[in-house]
Amino acid sequence: MGRQNTYDVIVIGSGISGGWAAKEFCQKGLRTLVLERGRDVKHLKDYPTTNLMPWEFEHRGEVPYAIKEANPVVSRCYAFKEDAMHFMVKDTEHPYIQEKPFDWIRGYQVGGKSLLWARQTQRWSEYDFEGPARDGFAVDWPIRYKDLAPWYSYVEKFAGISGNRDGLDILPDGEFLPPWELNCVETYFKEQVSKNYTDRHVIYGRCAHISNPQQIHLDQGRAQCQGRNLCQRGCPFGGYFSSNSSTLPWAERTGNLTLKTDSVVKAIIHDSRMNKATGVSVIDAKTKRTTEYYARVIFVNAGTLNTNLILLNSYSSDSPKGLGNEYGLLGKYVAFHNYRTRISAQYEGHKDFKTDGGRPTSAYIPRFRNVKKQETDFLRGYAAGFGSGRGIQRDYDGFGEQLKENLSKKDLGPWTVGSHMMGETIPKETNYVKLSDTRRDQWGIPQLSINIDYDDNDEKMVKDFIEQFTEMYTKAGFTNIKTSDSKQAPGLDIHEMGGARMGHDPKTSVLNKWNQLHSCPNVFVTDGACMTSTSTQNPSLTYMAITARAADYAMTQMKRGEL
Ligand SMILES: Cc1cc2nc3c(=O)[nH]c(=O)nc-3n(C[C@H](O)[C@H](O)[C@H](O)COP(=O)(O)OP(=O)(O)OC[C@H]3O[C@@H](n4cnc5c(N)ncnc54)[C@H](O)[C@@H]3O)c2cc1C
């Protein structure tokens, strides 16, 4: 083993979870190698569109038709626009197999999807962790809210999370910077909902934006969010949390970070005599040459499905079905969030106000179905967003003089309001990913074959969301209520989770309570692949907390000589 290829820790992937692992290990003095399959993206320097005006884009922000046609999957993502499409994987470059329709949205570069995310961040509650045990699905989580609570606080302080302390047991409060304001119609709806229901709440959306910088943010070189709402381009103020603006530069400053880009991890190397992983095998994305790197501990943070792929591809004569797959569980019990359904309406009041300017979040309605006991004919529940706006409705019809005339009309019309459902789906053995037997990518790695679908529970939840939100909107005096079910494929929620779930028992789970592979304790998985169930909250804050907790444990074990 070449000394120059040996580190204390290897982290696979530099996105949200990998960035946290890198920061934790580097700041405690461990020589850390981060392997990233994509190119480097340096904060500020590599945000080519960040300060462009709308008219400076060749296609005025739209994606040219030919690109859309060639990339039907990624084109379905709302963020795939001219200003950020360079941060998103094109379908043609990284093919995968859809046994059933699955829109796999990816960002292969330093920072991963942390550059692109919508930055909504809510903690899980005790009700979420006890969900599978109480409702009898999946397996029991081996951790509870109390295990993660201090780690939520830890990552929130550093990342910068804005929010209001609402005192709700279903959505615990965090270490918040001041919240963003609701507008007058959102406040009106909040009041209406609390007047009409005791168990439903409309709160300020919690998000990873610095509303009031603290010293720890200034130390990262980050400043106050300007409400530009152009986050997906990369923020010149570091106003929102990304690995690029926060955890990775922090890790780099310690001098302990080695970041290797264009490094596609093919597999983890396993020594069966020692029952230990010794390193990873990496293919150079450009030259296709293979190199091996070695470390005492390996953190797999390639993003849920790629983490599954790497583990499945880490087979040997001792683990012929992949590392951690002794009981055939790896790649199974994948779940996601059901984002199919929307409701919109109009509000005729408050016509003396309008909206102007930007803000990075809107209102949020935590889950209220089946929270403390089973009340409906479906399991679990849904959260929802709520937003309202009233701006000039531009009429782009016509050409020349007609167009000019249409554009100069200043008709504000009524307020529009809308919500989207964020439903929990149930992890099932039949929702799985596996390696293709026949198709490989350009680096010779088997392509991922994805078989994930909705079920009857999801259909019932969609129906309930429509009924309950129609009732809530009607009670609030909203009119012209319209509902829609996009029937979008799983994946477009970009919250895929599971495949290497945590649990107590090696026969029914892949990871233990510290995110170590039951069968190979120096390999840790702390991205979405570890999730036993999905709850309804946006998941990334939980990945951050789980990663920081597991890294702390790994370092304690390393010090004791256990790893
Ligand atoms: C438009 C959009 C909106 C979103 N909104 C939200 C939101 O509001 N709230 C929320 O919580 N989440 C949101 N998400 C999801 C969020 O981005 C992900 O949950 C989060 O980035 C996952 O972090 P990760 O570290 O697991 O993976 P990623 O951030 O995807 O990083 C994985 C990294 O691993 C690298 N990699 C993959 N395979 C290999 C390999 N074989 N070798 C080496 N490197 C590899 C990738 O290139 C990538 O850089 C959103 C995502 C998108 C795209």
Side-chain angles (χ1 to χ4, degrees), residues 12-19 35-38 77-79 88 105-114 116-121 243 263-266 301-304 306-307 310 339 445 493-495 526-528 537-541 543:
I12 306 173
S14 65
I16 289 188
S17 61
L35 293 164
E36 167 54 53
R37 70 175 302 149
C77 177
Y78 71 90
M88 303 183 81
I105 308 300
R106 293 159 289 172
Y108 288 171
Q109 62 261 322
V110 168
K113 298 194 292 285
S114 78
L116 295 159
W117 68 318
R119 304 144 330 260
Q120 302 303 300
T121 38
S243 307
S263 299
V264 185
V265 174
K266 180 182 160 200
N301 298 97
T304 302
N306 274 313
T307 284
I310 291 168
Y339 271 26
I445 298 172
D493 45 291
I494 327 179
H495 291 171
T526 65
D527 61 13
Q537 289 87 322
N538 303 65
S540 306
L541 182 71
Y543 305 164

Side-chain angles (χ1 to χ4, degrees), residues 533-549:
S533 61
T534 71
S535 189
T536 57
Q537 289 87 322
N538 303 65
S540 306
L541 182 71
T542 300
Y543 305 164
M544 297 187 210
I546 282 180
T547 302
R549 175 178 178 269

Side-chain angles (χ1 to χ4, degrees), residues 165-186:
R165 297 185 67 80
D166 299 298
L168 303 174
D169 54 1
I170 182 66
L171 206 73
D173 292 332
E175 308 288 334
F176 294 143
L177 303 171
W180 297 82
E181 280 182 24
L182 299 183
N183 65 36
C184 60
V185 172
E186 290 159 356

